[in-house]
């Protein structure tokens, strides 16, 4: 739907609030407070209401409070808000966002619903309770305000019964997944009375403002993702018992090996909580019949776990129990814990060697060993079940696939998975084994159509009601794979590709393993800037990998250092520094789009850009001290300069405090836990943008390029940088020594910190001396080369490569 048609739709004949400026969440449990936190993260003031306590706590009694005291009456919601600051993973992207959440209660503050544009119910999962709450909401809400329920499976239609016409037109289900900040899926469930305008508005709002992956679901038990996900987990439980597999063996093959989350099956259950899982399973069990009902019946050992309170992470034990450093697994037959096992078979080894998920899946699923038997018996019922539910839970296969990817972390949805193992081959095997393949799938195969999806010229089509239909995505989603197939690439080498993303904007995509920076990427940065200056309005540096960039190629640097090729390393560092200056002083705007892990060299690429367009979940930091080094590509210098520029204009500031702040950030290898925190650490400034929806990031970065171009962009002028010099260096050393004595720095950390302090201070110059940035870059390079030559730094690099974590030596 384009902008014009959306606006036209919103001018319908109902009273629709077209902009949500303020919200209310009713129910302050983990889910309710998490939703309130997510709304606060995107800047929406939110009223969080819960019931009024009926008894005083001992603390309240000692304070002399009564049940009529506001502090007591708001206690439940206020406690929930306070807990947001302690929860992990953090629900708030910045602690300051908590000021946007206001505590209240459902008696004193219900009338305040007239001031909000969206009311979200998240109370206990009982229909009569929800209906009672909505009766009150109907009395106090303003006409046109949107009302929704976050239920995980109770009928949306039943909740709206007896409500006013305006309420019913503006009512629907909005099922967030926990934790709301991190999980992408938002299932939207309309009723028969929900206005089409409201439905379209909320789908667009969910994607563009909430940053979610939105799917429209039908009003059926557990909707889409929980229905299929719970079924799949219970089938896996059944096969585990039937085949005599252990909990650990199942998890070793039902995770990343088949494109699923690292938490696989039983670790996922521990994280979700067995009580939550049991509630979802029973919800379906109570509403279906026949064979399906039997699948949703919890096995006896799981009921025993519930009785024992073995709920998973929240109770300290579940399918797994951690004792010291050892992780034990539960034996479902004895309910005792033993050492965790892993399944080892020839097909697993073959799958690990296979390229691409499709080849890995085929190697596993069609194998006759224990891994193959387990996976076939787990996958084929889930695929058939998904196909049977098409039309009942969702209108098309795309919604089902997206729900499972966004809600459960699957790399491929059920129908994409079926394509990967071969629909024709697998369906034939299913029928040979007496499994009933849904008629519509057999009809599809009879027509000679052997896949649910096909791709033509980079455009994806999906099978629907006897024919292929084009998969239409939001225009804000730029699919780099599709663009490359449609337009090709301008230039590429082993580490990066330069692409035309339209409207006169080019994009440089990193493609090296882990997007680690080596000479190939450095060469492409230079070529990309040259090409952009000659033929484009500007350049975006971004990609659609797992992480933006985890740093420089440590293995290459360590090898050169161990071979004593300091001259070679000197040349590489010089080239990297000059490439970063090329980004900074490009004649056309360069916008860098970092997301997820943006570490070391990834941060160094971002800092000199004309603008950064981050995502909410951008974890940025100069982490070189963790591998025994300091930033060598200008990172220290650029963070210092950016911090200086963030100082208030026309106001005197303490230069030493700025140096101290940057020193601590780099020496302690601080990594932001969000883009907002990165702004607080001066990796981002007020001009830099944050995309709430990560899928829209490259589009937003492109728009930033176009905006700067239209405003007549000119490259920044080269200016000198004031440094704290010799006296500032002494102050930084004092701080470093203090951190060592306090246990924050090891002996080698102190060696690194001294080198960093010398660079940041500008050497032994008078305080306030202004130096050219190349002078600081030379100091950076000298310190980098000195450190990489030391055995302890090389040991840190080796440890990171082997163990994947820092060494404190």
């Amino acid at each position: 739907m384009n902008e014009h048609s959306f606006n036209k739709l919103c001018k319908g004949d109902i009273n629709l609030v077209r902009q949500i400026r303020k919200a209310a969440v009713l129910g302050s449990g983990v889910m309710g407070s998490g939703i309130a936190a997510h709304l606060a993260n995107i800047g929406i003031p939110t009223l969080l209401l819960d019931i009024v306590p009926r008894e005083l706590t001992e603390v309240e009694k000692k304070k002399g409070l009564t049940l009529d005291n506001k502090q007591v009456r708001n206690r439940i919601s206020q406690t929930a808000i306070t807990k947001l600051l302690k929860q992990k993973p953090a629900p708030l992207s910045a602690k300051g966002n908590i000021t946007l959440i206001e505590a209240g209660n459902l008696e004193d503050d219900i009338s305040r619903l007239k001031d909000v544009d969206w009311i979200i119910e998240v109370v206990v999962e009982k229909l009569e309770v929800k209906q009672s709450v909505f009766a009150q909401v109907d009395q106090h809400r303003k006409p046109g305000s949107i009302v929704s329920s976050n239920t995980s499976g109770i009928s949306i239609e039943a909740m709206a019964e007896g409500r006013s016409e305006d309420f019913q037109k503006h009512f629907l289900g909005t099922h967030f997944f926990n934790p709301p900040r991190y999980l992408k899926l938002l299932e939207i469930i309309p009723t028969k009375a929900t206005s089409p305008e409201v439905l379209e508005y909320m789908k667009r709002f969910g994607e563009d403002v909430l940053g979610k992956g939105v799917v429209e679901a039908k009003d059926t038990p557990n909707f889409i993702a929980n229905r299929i996900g719970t079924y799949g987990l219970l089938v896996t439980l059944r096969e585990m018992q039937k085949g005599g597999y252990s909990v650990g063996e199942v998890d070793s093959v039902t995770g990343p090996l088949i494109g699923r989350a690292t938490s696989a099956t039983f670790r996922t259950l521990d994280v979700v909580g067995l009580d939550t899982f049991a509630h979802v399973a029973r919800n379906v069990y109570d509403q279906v019949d026949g064979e399906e009902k039997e699948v949703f019946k919890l096995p006896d050992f799981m009921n025993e776990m519930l009785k024992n309170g073995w709920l998973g992470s929240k109770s300290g034990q579940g399918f797994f129990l951690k004792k010291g450093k050892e992780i034990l697994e539960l034996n479902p037959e004895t309910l005792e814990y033993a050492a965790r096992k892993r399944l080892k078979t020839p097909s697993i080894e073959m799958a690990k060697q296979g390229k691409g998920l499709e080849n890995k899946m085929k190697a596993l699923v069609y194998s006759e060993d224990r891994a193959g038997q387990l996976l076939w018996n787990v996958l084929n019922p889930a695929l058939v079940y998904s196909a049977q539910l098409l039309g009942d839970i969702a209108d098309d296969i795309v919604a089902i696939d997206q729900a499972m990817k966004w809600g459960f972390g699957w790399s491929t949805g059920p129908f994409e998975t079926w394509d990967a193992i071969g629909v024709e081959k697998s369906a034939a095997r299913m029928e040979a084994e007496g499994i009933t393949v849904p008629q519509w799938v057999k009809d599809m195969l009879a027509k000679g159509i052997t896949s649910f999806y096909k791709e033509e010229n980079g455009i994806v089509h999906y099978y629907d009601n006897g024919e292929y239909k084009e998969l239409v995505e939001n225009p804000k989603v730029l699919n780099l794979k599709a663009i490359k197939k449609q337009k090709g690439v301008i230039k590429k080498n082993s580490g990066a590709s330069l692409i035309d993303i339209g409207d006169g904007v080019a994009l440089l995509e990193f493609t090296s393993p882990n997007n680690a920076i080596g000479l190939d990427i450095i060469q492409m940065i230079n070529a990309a800037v040259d090409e952009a200056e000659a033929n484009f309005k500007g350049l975006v540096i971004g990609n659609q990998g797992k992480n933006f960039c985890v740093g420089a190629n440590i293995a290459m640097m360590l090898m050169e250092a161990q071979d004593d090729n300091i001259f070679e390393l000197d040349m590489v560092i010089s080239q990297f520094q000059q490439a970063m200056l090329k980004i900074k002083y490009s004649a056309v705007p360069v916008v860098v789009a970092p997301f997820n892990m943006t570490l070391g060299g990834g941060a160094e690429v971002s800092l000199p850009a004309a603008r950064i367009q981050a995502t909410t979940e951008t974890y940025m930091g100069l982490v070189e001290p963790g591998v025994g080094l300091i930033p060598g590509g200008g990172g220290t210098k650029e963070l210092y300069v950016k911090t200086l520029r963030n100082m208030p204009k026309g106001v005197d500031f303490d230069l030493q405090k700025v140096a101290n702040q940057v020193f601590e950030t780099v020496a302690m290898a601080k990594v932001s836990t969000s883009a907002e925190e990165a702004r607080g650490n001066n990796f981002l400034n007020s001009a830099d943008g944050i995309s709430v929806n990560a899928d829209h990031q490259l589009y937003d970065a492109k728009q930033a390029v176009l905006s700067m171009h239209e405003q007549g962009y000119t490259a920044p002028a080269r200016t000198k940088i004031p440094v704290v010099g010799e006296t500032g260096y002494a102050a930084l050393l004092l701080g470093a020594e203090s951190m060592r004595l306090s246990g924050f720095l090891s002996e080698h950390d102190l060696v690194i910190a001294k080198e960093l302090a010398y660079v940041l201070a500008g050497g032994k110059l008078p305080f306030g001396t202004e130096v050219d940035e190349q002078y600081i870059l030379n100091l950076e390079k000298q310190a980098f080369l000195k450190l990489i030559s030391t055995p302890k730094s090389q040991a840190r690099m080796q440890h990171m490569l082997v163990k994947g974590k820092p060494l404190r030596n």
Side-chain angles (χ1 to χ4, degrees), residues 280-508:
V280 173
R282 285 169 184 154
N283 187 53
V284 180
Y285 180 83
D286 291 339
Q287 298 183 62
V288 297
D289 299 304
E291 292 182 14
E292 185 179 8
K293 190 178 188 75
E294 282 305 303
V295 173
F296 283 92
K297 182 180 179 180
L298 295 180
D300 292 338
F301 83 88
M302 193 176 278
N303 287 317
E304 286 299 313
M305 291 175 68
L306 288 166
K307 287 180 186 176
N308 294 340
W310 298 352
L311 307 180
S313 301
K314 66 176 79 173
S315 64
Q317 70 183 96
F319 288 98
F320 294 101
L321 172 66
K322 189 173 183 180
K323 278 199 172 181
K325 292 186 177 180
E326 188 179 10
I327 297 176
L328 306 177
E329 65 175 42
L330 182 73
N331 183 325
E333 293 183 3
T334 65
L335 290 184
E336 295 177 348
Y337 290 91
R340 183 170 54 168
K341 300 175 186 175
R342 294 183 184 277
L343 198 57
K344 295 181 180 179
T345 69
S347 68
I348 291 175
E349 294 307 311
M350 284 180 61
K352 287 179 179 178
Q353 302 303 317
K355 289 187 177 181
L357 185 59
E358 182 177 331
N359 290 323
K360 292 177 187 291
M361 294 281 285
K362 286 178 178 176
L364 287 162
V365 170
Y366 294 116
S367 165
E368 293 300 321
D369 61 26
R370 275 173 55 78
Q373 290 171 10
L374 172 66
L375 289 173
W376 171 257
N377 291 333
V378 164
L379 281 176
N380 84 69
L383 301 182
V384 169
Y385 187 64
S386 300
Q388 288 171 339
L389 290 176
L390 181 65
D392 291 334
I393 62 173
D395 284 329
D396 55 57
I397 64 172
V398 176
I400 293 175
D401 279 348
Q402 289 178 333
M404 299 315 301
K405 290 190 288 186
W406 294 338
F408 277 72
W410 294 8
S411 296
T412 55
F415 297 99
E416 292 169 321
T417 300
W418 209 338
D419 275 353
I421 66 172
V423 182
E424 196 169 26
K425 181 179 180 179
S426 58
R429 178 176 171 180
M430 289 173 189
E431 295 213 292
E433 294 177 359
I435 299 165
T436 303
V437 175
Q439 188 60 46
W440 73 266
V441 177
K442 291 196 283 189
D443 292 342
M444 180 185 87
L445 292 171
K447 292 179 180 179
I449 299 173
T450 58
S451 65
F452 296 107
Y453 293 90
K454 71 173 183 177
E455 189 177 300
E456 292 179 349
N457 299 319
I459 298 172
V460 176
H461 297 77
Y462 65 95
Y463 184 78
D464 186 60
N465 290 323
E467 62 181 356
Y468 280 114
K469 293 181 180 177
E470 183 180 335
L471 178 58
V472 180
E473 289 190 294
N474 189 316
K476 293 182 180 179
V477 177
L478 301 185
N479 186 318
L480 296 185
K481 285 184 179 178
I483 291 171
K484 285 189 285 188
K485 286 179 180 178
Q486 291 163 16
K487 295 186 174 183
V489 297
I490 301 167
K491 293 180 181 178
K492 72 174 183 177
N493 63 15
S494 58
S497 298
L498 184 62
I499 312 161
D500 181 349
I501 57 173
D503 299 319
V505 180
L507 180 138
L508 178 64

Side-chain angles (χ1 to χ4, degrees), residues 27 179 189 420 559 626:
I189 311 98
M559 182 177 67

